[in-house]
């Protein structure tokens, strides 16, 4: 017998609380560990996860148990058990010590199963908000942008949705960036005009890429946004810890203008690489401009001078523990944790929260006249605002000033934004909503290079999405970007390599196989799917191979191991496995003695094509839907649990399908096709249901507002070359009449 009695004097500090050993003797040799735990009133254990299954027995006290963002009240006499890898911690909400006993044991089968299937892990039935980094509306989107956060978020959301998760793609434009004001100065118009112009341009490009955010906020056009942002700022400074303070700053040597962000560049004080104001894209570390080596003003000819200015200053180093605790909650890649380690190794780091500018939102406090709230505070707030705006539409009552632990936030961002998303934002959340434990997954990408050099909007060294994307190139682009996007290191884009992959892989291998398969079914089975007959061991082995490809794809696209590089390779793997199988089976395909085996081989090849359609759906939704249609099945809407045969008797339309062929000009589409294209575009832009009839309705009757008309105008222009005016769009024309108008605009 083993007897262990709780002893408050024999505890040691671990996992953020007091723990005491329980010696389990013989039981321990069977792999069960045990301990006493004590949490003082108001304290909580560190959130963590592990491969062991674990049981808590609550002995006395009361509090909350938080598991993967779900809070459950607990009190003495209760027992709870955790699955492997569930993020869990206890929070003592009572006035006495919370005392519990924990028992844990390793169950490898259980842990592996959870790791492989993923099945809702960490997400469950929580609302999932997937954010693509808000683009700065100072230019269009180039394929460097598209390959990173935008394709990443889109395929992620599509996969989660196919698995029945409650998930949205939320986007915004970061209108108050100083880069917008700088672009306006260059282009000789107002920042508002620049923001509206490029917001429409960005929307048009995303539509061409088959990326359909569920919501887009334009911060300079949303009238509710401004006071809500000011209220957020007031909450940040509410407890009096952050006050206006004098600090060093940089000024133009000629004009005396305050220098930050686009107005100054130099060398990074940390790594010595060329860096802009406030952030170094090389090492990811922030700077405060005045610490730049050899700083130069973007407009001045004489060296800048250092001076002082009074701004609201955040002592970020004081929030070190809070930020690091946040990094234990969600999916926080090593690159984030390593950068945090470097930044918080600084003895102190004071971050200015306001800057002199005439573009942006000023605080309501009168202390810093002529200053605006720094736009990176808008980033942190904008995510919460996006959730509130979505909630208003859905009637859920979500509020930016009362964020919920139940919210699962997923960010897709470039490495150069890591500091803002994963360090500054959680620090601001701690100040604005101390009770909230934000649960955030971060998905980073590195730089995508173009011909060996960084993409640059300001230098126009870029391939713009709208120049390369069209209905017949979008699948090829999405596949190529998925395959080569810089997930773990910088990668390089060249047009020649992209064209080679489309020709060799997509046209020369995938399409060739599908057309050949369609031809064989046409010839041998009259274009109708045969029933599988007798299965040879090779057939069974091929089915097993396809099952392992499906399992691989499920891991590649899942929330833990998300990688489009690996997903694209797996898609190609499905086709290569099937070609190998098909070549072997072809030896007996025409022999009468083996016809029952031959039809099994064909049924399996068609099952592989069906699997390809399902697995490609998040990455190449247009191709997936077209392939499914050619196979006589519904577009893939659910993620498959296993590989299944196409029902025998199904009519195919596979032979002669061109999935990745030469692009016909969209403007030359036959009229019914153009109406169907325009109807789809209208539904998407106006956020209508996919089956809502629109052909005989005017855009105004469908609820179109002028900004949506501008967005439509850009998208029509980009896709067809037809310049339909906003007056035409918002006038008496029905959608069908507008489609006819496109015909009239068609160029000879
Ligand atoms: Zn650096």
């Amino acid at each position: 017998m083993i007897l262990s009695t709780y002893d408050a004097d024999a505890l040691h500090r671990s996992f953020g609380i007091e723990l005491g050993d329980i010696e389990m003797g013989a039981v321990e040799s069977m792999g069960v560990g045990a301990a006493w735990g004590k949490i003082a009133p108001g304290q909580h254990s560190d959130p963590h996860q592990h491969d062991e299954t674990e049981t808590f027995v609550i002995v006395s006290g009361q509090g909350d148990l938080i598991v993967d963002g779900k809070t459950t009240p607990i009190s003495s006499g209760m027992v709870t058990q955790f699955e492997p890898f569930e993020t869990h911690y206890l929070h003592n909400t009572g006035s006495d010590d919370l005392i519990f006993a924990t028992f844990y044991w390793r169950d490898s089968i259980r842990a592996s199963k959870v790791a492989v299937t993923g099945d809702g892990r960490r997400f469950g039935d929580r609302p999932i908000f997937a954010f693509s980094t808000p683009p700065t509306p100072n230019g269009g989107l180039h394929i460097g942008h598209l390959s990173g956060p935008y394709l990443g978020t889109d395929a992620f959301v599509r996969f989660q949705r196919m698995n029945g998760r409650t998930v949205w793609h939320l986007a915004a434009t970061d209108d108050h960036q100083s880069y917008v004001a700088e672009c306006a100065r260059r282009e000789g118009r107002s920042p508002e005009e620049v923001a509206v112009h490029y917001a429409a341009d960005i929307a048009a490009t995303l539509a061409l890429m088959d990326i359909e955010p569920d919501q887009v906020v334009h911060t300079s056009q949303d009238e509710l946004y401004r006071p809500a942002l000011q209220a957020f700022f007031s909450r940040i400074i509410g407890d009096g810890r952050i006050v206006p303070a004098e600090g060093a700053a940089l000024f133009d040597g000629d004009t005396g203008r305050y220098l930050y962000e686009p107005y100054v560049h130099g060398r990074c004080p940390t790594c010595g690489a060329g860096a802009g104001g406030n952030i170094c894209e090389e090492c990811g570390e922030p700077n405060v401009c005045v610490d730049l080596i050899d700083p130069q003003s973007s407009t001045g000819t004489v060296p800048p001078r250092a001076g002082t200015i009074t701004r609201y200053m955040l002592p970020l180093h004081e929030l070190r523990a809070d930020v690091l605790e946040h990094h234990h909650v969600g999916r926080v890649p090593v690159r984030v944790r390593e950068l945090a380690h470097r930044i918080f190794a600084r003895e102190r780091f004071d971050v200015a929260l306001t800057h002199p500018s005439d573009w942006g939102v000023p605080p309501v406090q009168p202390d810093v006249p002529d200053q605006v709230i720094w736009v990176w505070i808008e980033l942190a707030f904008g995510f919460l605002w996006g959730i509130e705006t979505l909630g208003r539409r859905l009637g859920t009552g979500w509020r930016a000033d009362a964020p919920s632990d139940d919210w699962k936030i997923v960010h897709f961002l470039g490495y150069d934004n890591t500091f803002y998303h994963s360090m500054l934002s959680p620090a601001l959340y701690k100040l604005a909503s101390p009770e909230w434990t934000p649960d955030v997954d971060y998905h980073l990408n590195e730089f995508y290079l173009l011909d060996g050099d960084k993409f640059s909007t300001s230098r126009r060294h870029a391939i713009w999405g709208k120049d390369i994307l069209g209905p017949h190139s979008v699948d090829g682009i999405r596949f190529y970007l998925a395959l080569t996007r810089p997930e773990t290191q910088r990668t390089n884009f060249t047009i020649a390599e992209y064209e080679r992959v489309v020709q060799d892989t997509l046209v020369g291998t995938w399409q060739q196989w599908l057309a050949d398969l369609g031809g064989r079914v046409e010839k041998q089975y009259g274009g109708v799917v045969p029933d599988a007959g007798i299965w040879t061991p090779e057939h069974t082995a091929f089915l097993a191979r396809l099952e392992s490809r499906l399992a691989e794809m499920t891991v590649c696209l899942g929330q833990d191991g998300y990688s489009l590089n690996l997903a694209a390779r797996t898609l190609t793997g499905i086709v290569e496995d099937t070609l190998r199988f098909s070549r072997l089976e072809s030896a007996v395909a025409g022999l009468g003695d083996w016809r029952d085996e031959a039809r099994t081989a064909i049924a399996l090849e068609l099952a592989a094509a069906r699997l390809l359609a399902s697995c490609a759906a998040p990455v190449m939704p247009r191709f997936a839907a077209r392939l499914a249609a050619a196979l006589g099945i519904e577009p893939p809407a659910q993620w498959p649990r296993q590989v299944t045969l196409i029902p025998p008797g199904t009519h195919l339309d596979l032979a002669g399908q061109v999935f990745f062929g030469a692009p016909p000009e969209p403007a030359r589409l036959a009229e019914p096709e153009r109406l169907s294209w325009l109807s789809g575009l209208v539904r998407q832009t106006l956020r209508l249901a996919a089956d809502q009839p629109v052909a005989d309705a005017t855009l105004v009757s469908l609820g179109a507002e002028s900004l949506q008309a501008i967005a439509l105008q850009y998208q029509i222009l980009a896709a067809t070359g037809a310049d339909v005016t906003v007056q035409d769009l918002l006038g008496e024309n029905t959608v069908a009449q507008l489609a006819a108008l496109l015909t009239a605009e068609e160029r000879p």
Side-chain angles (χ1 to χ4, degrees), residues 317-330:
H317 49 277
E318 291 180 10
L319 288 139
R320 177 181 189 275
D322 300 297
V323 174
L324 295 193
E325 181 171 308
H326 169 69
H327 289 174
H328 282 88
V329 180

Side-chain angles (χ1 to χ4, degrees), residues 201-248:
D201 194 293
I202 288 165
T205 304
L206 290 179
L208 287 170
M209 184 78 173
D210 289 342
I211 293 175
E212 302 155 12
D214 297 290
Q215 171 179 276
V216 186
V217 169
H218 301 297
T219 54
S220 67
Q221 296 166 42
D222 180 342
E223 30 184 80
L224 300 175
Y225 172 83
R226 195 181 170 92
L229 170 66
Q230 290 168 323
F232 179 71
F233 185 80
S234 297
R235 287 202 306 283
I236 289 173
I237 63 168
D239 70 356
R241 203 151 134 195
I242 292 161
V243 289
E246 189 166 321

Side-chain angles (χ1 to χ4, degrees), residues 267-275 279-285 342:
R267 283 187 295 118
C268 170
T270 302
C271 73
I279 200 84
C280 171
E281 293 185 343
E282 285 300 314
C283 67
E285 290 202 28
R342 272 188 275 139

